[in-house]
Amino acid sequence: MNDLLQPKHCQMTPKIAKVALPLPLYKTFDYLIGNHVPIVGGRVRVPFGKQCKIGIVTALTDQSDLPLEQLKPINDVLDNTPLWPTSLYNLLNWASRYYQYPFGNVLTTAMPVSLRKGKAAFRTQNRLWKLTDIGKIQPLSSLTSAPKQARILTLLRNSAMTHTKLLENNITATVINKVEKKGWIEVAQNAHYKPWSTHYKVIEDKPTLNNEQAMAVATINANPNFSCYLIEGVTASGKTEVYLNLLEPVLAKGKQALILVPEIGLTPQTIERFKRRFNVPVEVLHSGQNETERLNTWLAARDCEVAIIIGTRSALFSPCTNLGIIIVDEEHDVSYKQKDSFRYHSRDLAVMRGHKENVPVVLGSATPSFESIHNVEIGKYHHLILSTRAGNVLNAKHGILDIRGLHLESGLSAPLISEIRRHLITGNQVMLFLNRRGYSPALMCHKCGWLASCKHCDANYTLHQQPQKLRCHHCGIQCSIPHQCDHCGSTQLIRVGVGTEQLETHLASIFPEYKTVRIDRDNTRKKGVLEEYLHAIHNKEYQILIGTQMLAKGHHFPDVTLVALVDTDSALFSNDFRAPERLAQLFIQVAGRAGRANKPGMVLLQTHHPEHFLLQSLIHNGYNSFSRKALRERQQASLPPFSYFCLIRAESHKSELVEQFLQQARTVLEIGALDDNSCTVMGPTPAPLHRRAAHYRWQLIVQTPSRRILQQKLSIALHSIRQLPLSKKVHWSLDIEPQDMN
Ligand code: ADP
Ligand code: ZN
Ligand code: ZN
């Protein structure tokens, strides 16, 4: 292992280890070192209160703020080598400071669950055991009462042996463990490591790149050092083909490639392409795998036994020791941002990792995030454009359906219904998007206007038909559908608004001769169900597809010739300043994935605002023009990416406590920021959903012109905010560069 952290050499043997524990505390804990000196970046088991915890050693030292006699000894040293390469460990340290999240928790997030539980950091299949120097001189005669232990020593005397082989020789894992604890045997690493640089080959015929692709590949390959590239390429313009070509020099040098994708379930074809192209080991990392699979892939990355790692968000923490390139596909995708606990953005950390490891970072998308476009505009990223679809696929046509004054049935206008009919009759599929699950978003009394709403949240219940329930989409509680108004007792309860369930029922009644399928979070919760539906759609078992935006992710639908966005207006006029960006991304993504060469797709938007300038620019001039126009709007309003937000969310069942706490936090922040006017603090204001699950939610927004200022100001202020007595009484969290403000 060439690049791992080396133990810090103190003049004498260090006495104390500083240990980061998986706790919401912004400090390390000191422990006494016994005979076995731990390693920085390695795990130790330590006593903590009445419990035993696994932590990571962050430093070895001779000094402690506490008297030595008050320190407890380390129970167990679990690793002889650090878990992460130095550069990745440094990145995690940086991320802990940038996202203001405790280092111990960050480190825990960045390791597989098995390691958090204390499992050995060696691959189970190919652990290769050998005798240590002490083991070699151990007299067998001293082991007459432990014949199994003696047998291990005998077996290993001539040559190292794999774990499996030892088990086959009737040695149990417990005995191996015992002998290892005695320090007589150890794992010889990289047992089967064969560097691929010696036999690396491209093993399938590949297409000749077009000019734009060739330019992109040449530009990026010209510099093996850190630089960040944004490939803005329409769907099917050959981005993946560019990635494949970028890997060639990387793999030829025996280096590793890390490829991030939004969702593994939706990209099996892409993974297959990487496996088919090269004769090198390819591994996939995602949350659907079991603990052992994840551990083995993670370790293979560390031991340089895998060349290409493809994974979702957290795969960014793969401990590749010999990284050559990082690629982030569909870089605009919201799933790259973690929405709870350690709220990191995997794309942003990918860029930081590339910087720290001095390797190129390639971001690709047909609809780049505004953040990345901005970075191109200010010269931080290189811009590479792929403007033509490979293989002469025609671009989808698109149009606006003006629904002003038209009668809507379950959200559908008559012109849209006849368009759907036209496409179905010719044997094609149609796809409808609506970002609202359930049957109706509200149940209302026709007589007095009473709305059935959740007792615990400031939100209406959503009416569901399958099963028949009222359900709160915010706290998850459900109850049976009432027959009477709670307020006036009337039985005239009406369903207001349209959700995906209703759209499905309605379409099934208009087109009984065609089969409908609905794809949303409600009916794809079970593992494998989504894949089954997608498979059936590809086999044309369904003709009418209805879904929320999850249907748009990454999949091609060659037989879909009509796509309709049923409700455009709620995105155009949303409180969320990112809603138009997301709408445009959805629109372009589905337009790019519908239809095929001889059957171009058609995308329609239903709106009451056909003249809206953003819609006009999107329809007539495409995403590139739309995004630049929308970015100017953001700039005028000083919204991200022209400023940086930190959102402090706080909640408690006592509203006044939360408001008071955030008021105090605001004062602390303002004192810290008074010297200049670089920081704006907004709030405290009630969160958009003020009450959820009987908790009152408030928020405070800190806005700064640069990341550096955000980080400086916050780290000083937060230290004081954490000392506030109220900070222990309310539940609060920080979201640096939040992707949604709820
Ligand atoms: P993207 O990743 O941008 O969606 P892909 O790389 O998947 O695009 O390319 C779309 C299709 O076009 C694939 O089937 C791919 O094999 C093919 N393709 C890509 N580049 C070329 C090329 N230069 N010549 C011919 N076919 C190509
Ligand atoms: Zn009523
Ligand atoms: Zn609720």
Side-chain angles (χ1 to χ4, degrees):
M1 251 174 271
N2 37 15
D3 188 30
L4 291 181
L5 293 170
Q6 294 307 313
K8 277 194 187 142
H9 286 291
C10 306
Q11 293 314 86
M12 296 160 291
T13 326
K15 292 196 198 69
I16 296 160
K18 295 200 171 289
V19 178
L21 292 171
L23 294 168
L25 296 170
Y26 294 80
K27 59 183 230 177
T28 53
F29 296 84
D30 292 354
Y31 287 92
L32 289 177
I33 295 171
N35 294 334
H36 195 166
V37 180
I39 190 147
V40 173
R43 290 166 303 160
V44 287
R45 211 189 300 268
V46 293
F48 189 82
K50 286 195 177 124
Q51 293 170 310
C52 204
K53 285 197 178 291
I54 290 175
I56 302 290
V57 176
T58 60
L60 299 175
T61 170
D62 283 326
Q63 280 162 14
S64 172
D65 295 338
L66 294 170
L68 283 193
E69 54 276 16
Q70 280 187 23
L71 299 184
K72 290 183 188 163
I74 291 172
N75 290 349
D76 236 337
V77 174
L78 299 180
D79 298 305
N80 291 322
T81 43
L83 290 182
W84 300 276
T86 315
S87 50
L88 179 53
Y89 180 84
N90 291 340
L91 176 80
L92 295 170
N93 200 327
W94 180 89
S96 157
R97 281 177 278 125
Y98 185 69
Y99 291 104
Q100 306 285 347
Y101 200 65
F103 192 34
N105 278 341
V106 170
L107 291 171
T108 309
T109 310
M111 67 170 98
V113 176
S114 313
L115 295 186
R116 295 177 207 166
K117 292 181 179 168
K119 287 247 172 73
F122 291 111
R123 299 183 80 181
T124 40
Q125 312 103 320
N126 65 354
R127 235 184 310 174
L128 190 67
W129 292 103
K130 65 170 191 190
L131 292 179
T132 59
D133 290 342
I134 318 169
K136 282 179 195 154
I137 54 165
Q138 205 58 39
L140 294 180
S141 52
S142 67
L143 287 169
T144 40
S145 57
K148 287 258 155 116
Q149 297 188 18
R151 191 157 158 67
I152 294 188
L153 297 188
T154 318
L155 284 169
L156 296 182
R157 193 136 285 179
N158 295 325
S159 68
M161 206 174 255
T162 61
H163 196 76
T164 328
K165 198 85 196 193
L166 282 177
L167 296 182
E168 282 169 10
N169 275 283
N170 284 329
I171 308 271
T172 61
T174 326
V175 179
I176 299 176
N177 222 337
K178 259 190 204 149
V179 181
E180 188 200 8
K181 281 239 170 81
K182 289 188 170 170
W184 296 345
I185 60 169
E186 65 186 1
V187 171
Q189 276 160 22
N190 296 342
H192 302 300
Y193 169 43
K194 278 196 212 86
W196 48 87
S197 55
T198 53
H199 62 273
Y200 151 81
K201 263 214 281 299
V202 174
I203 51 169
E204 65 164 3
D205 287 340
K206 53 173 201 167
T208 314
L209 298 180
N210 65 32
N211 278 341
E212 287 176 328
Q213 286 174 316
M215 263 299 290
V217 172
T219 309
I220 299 171
N221 280 348
N223 177 10
N225 300 321
F226 171 70
S227 217
C228 191
Y229 306 87
L230 175 66
I231 302 185
E232 185 168 4
V234 296
T235 314
S237 59
K239 291 184 292 297
T240 311
E241 192 53 45
V242 169
Y243 306 155
L244 286 161
N245 279 269
L246 291 176
L247 295 200
E248 292 183 19
V250 172
L251 298 173
K253 275 186 258 164
K255 295 194 171 227
Q256 296 168 294
L258 181 55
I259 300 167
L260 300 183
V261 293
E263 227 164 310
I264 289 285
L266 298 173
T267 44
Q269 300 103 323
T270 311
I271 295 164
E272 273 313 304
R273 280 171 77 182
F274 283 90
K275 288 188 175 163
R276 269 204 320 268
R277 181 68 56 98
F278 309 108
N279 64 338
V280 300
V282 179
E283 293 283 354
V284 174
L285 256 184
H286 60 93
S287 55
Q289 289 168 311
N290 69 33
E291 287 179 16
T292 316
E293 287 169 333
R294 279 183 79 86
L295 177 65
N296 282 327
T297 306
W298 196 87
L299 294 170
R302 185 192 69 171
D303 299 344
C304 229
E305 289 175 15
V306 53
I308 302 173
I309 296 140
I310 305 175
T312 45
R313 183 175 59 221
S314 66
L316 191 260
F317 302 128
S318 307
C320 310
T321 27
N322 198 9
L323 197 58
I325 194 168
I326 307 177
I327 294 169
V328 184
D329 193 28
E330 308 289 1
E331 65 86 32
H332 66 279
D333 199 278
V334 289
S335 72
Y336 284 123
K337 168 87 173 167
Q338 167 102 10
K339 291 196 178 58
D340 52 19
S341 46
F342 177 26
R343 296 175 168 82
Y344 66 98
H345 201 302
S346 194
R347 175 200 60 218
D348 294 356
L349 281 186
V351 176
M352 200 43 156
R353 182 166 184 185
H355 176 69
K356 286 197 184 292
E357 307 216 9
N358 198 24
V359 298
V361 179
V362 178
L363 313 177
S365 175
T367 53
S369 65
F370 284 14
E371 280 76 11
S372 295
I373 295 174
H374 177 60
N375 280 323
V376 165
E377 288 184 345
I378 60 174
K380 263 172 104 172
Y381 296 175
H382 299 274
H383 198 199
L384 299 161
I385 296 174
L386 305 182
S387 57
T388 43
R389 285 185 161 203
N392 292 327
V393 184
L394 287 179
N395 282 320
K397 288 188 223 134
H398 30 240
I400 293 178
L401 251 177
D402 181 358
I403 53 171
R404 279 176 296 186
L406 295 185
H407 172 66
L408 299 180
E409 261 179 69
S410 290
L412 303 174
S413 62
L416 180 55
I417 292 173
S418 59
E419 196 63 20
I420 293 173
R421 178 170 292 115
R422 201 168 66 79
H423 284 263
L424 289 175
I425 286 171
T426 47
N428 293 311
Q429 293 172 316
V430 301
M431 185 153 83
L432 288 97
F433 282 97
L434 181 63
N435 240 351
R436 228 174 292 125
R437 294 179 287 129
Y439 190 86
S440 279
L443 181 71
M444 188 166 73
C445 170
H446 194 45
K447 255 190 142 168
C448 76
W450 168 82
L451 282 163
S453 56
C454 176
K455 288 182 190 59
H456 311 286
C457 306
D458 283 341
N460 294 332
Y461 275 127
T462 299
L463 186 84
H464 284 255
Q465 291 285 58
Q466 300 158 357
Q468 287 218 354
K469 289 274 181 212
L470 290 182
R471 213 185 296 161
C472 174
H473 283 187
H474 302 283
C475 70
I477 208 167
Q478 53 181 27
C479 59
S480 46
I481 299 172
H483 302 291
Q484 278 189 314
C485 168
D486 253 13
H487 185 66
C488 73
S490 155
T491 51
Q492 290 186 48
L493 298 183
I494 52 171
R495 294 147 184 214
V496 189
V498 183
T500 46
E501 263 188 14
Q502 185 178 150
L503 208 51
E504 183 186 20
T505 317
H506 186 61
L507 283 163
S509 74
I510 311 179
F511 301 108
E513 64 276 39
Y514 299 103
K515 267 187 88 179
T516 62
V517 62
R518 174 167 58 90
I519 304 231
D520 57 28
R521 206 143 38 86
D522 286 329
N523 66 348
T524 54
R525 254 177 251 270
K526 272 224 311 263
K527 207 175 153 182
V529 169
L530 177 62
E531 286 74 17
E532 267 172 43
Y533 276 137
L534 290 171
H535 192 71
I537 292 172
H538 278 267
N539 289 340
K540 298 189 78 174
E541 286 169 37
Y542 299 102
Q543 292 77 46
I544 303 175
L545 331 173
I546 296 143
T548 56
Q549 64 194 11
M550 72 177 287
L551 183 54
K553 274 198 186 176
H555 243 266
H556 287 267
F557 296 99
D559 292 305
V560 168
T561 51
L562 174 68
V563 181
L565 273 54
V566 176
D567 179 16
T568 311
D569 297 340
S570 60
L572 281 181
F573 301 99
S574 164
N575 289 330
D576 178 359
F577 67 85
R578 285 195 173 85
E581 177 184 351
R582 306 258 187 265
L583 171 76
Q585 287 166 346
L586 172 68
F587 175 76
I588 298 292
Q589 294 286 340
V590 296
R593 296 213 171 84
R596 61 173 83 187
N598 54 351
K599 268 210 280 202
M602 162 89 153
V603 186
L604 291 175
L605 293 163
Q606 284 200 137
T607 177
H608 291 89
H609 298 269
E611 307 301 332
H612 196 289
F613 82 100
L614 286 182
L615 279 190
Q616 286 295 328
S617 109
L618 181 61
I619 292 285
H620 296 296
N621 307 314
Y623 187 80
N624 191 293
S625 151
F626 159 85
S627 56
R628 275 65 178 178
K629 277 212 170 70
L631 259 176
R632 298 289 78 78
E633 274 201 324
R634 295 252 191 112
Q635 186 165 24
Q636 271 158 20
S638 291
L639 286 167
F642 298 92
S643 64
Y644 295 85
F645 278 7
C646 163
L647 187 63
I648 305 182
R649 299 184 177 94
E651 63 175 61
S652 152
H653 53 280
K654 289 193 185 133
S655 186
E656 62 286 356
L657 283 191
V658 192
E659 192 185 358
Q660 236 177 55
F661 165 66
L662 287 181
Q663 197 60 54
Q664 292 173 359
R666 181 185 172 122
T667 312
V668 172
L669 281 160
E670 280 177 339
I671 293 168
L674 268 189
D675 47 345
D676 52 40
N677 291 322
S678 58
C679 251
T680 317
V681 188
M682 292 169 275
T685 48
L689 184 72
H690 183 39
R691 200 169 53 106
R692 185 174 71 188
H695 279 66
Y696 294 89
R697 308 160 74 240
W698 290 77
Q699 58 188 29
L700 196 66
I701 298 169
V702 185
Q703 190 182 21
T704 68
S706 84
R707 278 183 163 153
R708 195 176 45 78
I709 295 174
L710 183 67
Q711 194 182 1
Q712 278 173 359
K713 288 275 145 74
L714 274 178
S715 54
I716 300 167
L718 283 170
H719 188 72
S720 311
I721 293 174
R722 288 186 198 115
Q723 313 297 321
L724 295 172
L726 277 178
S727 79
K728 314 266 179 322
K729 296 208 169 110
V730 304
H731 184 77
W732 65 286
S733 63
L734 270 186
D735 196 347
I736 309 286
E737 299 187 64
Q739 284 292 307
D740 67 64
M741 309 290 270
N742 288 319

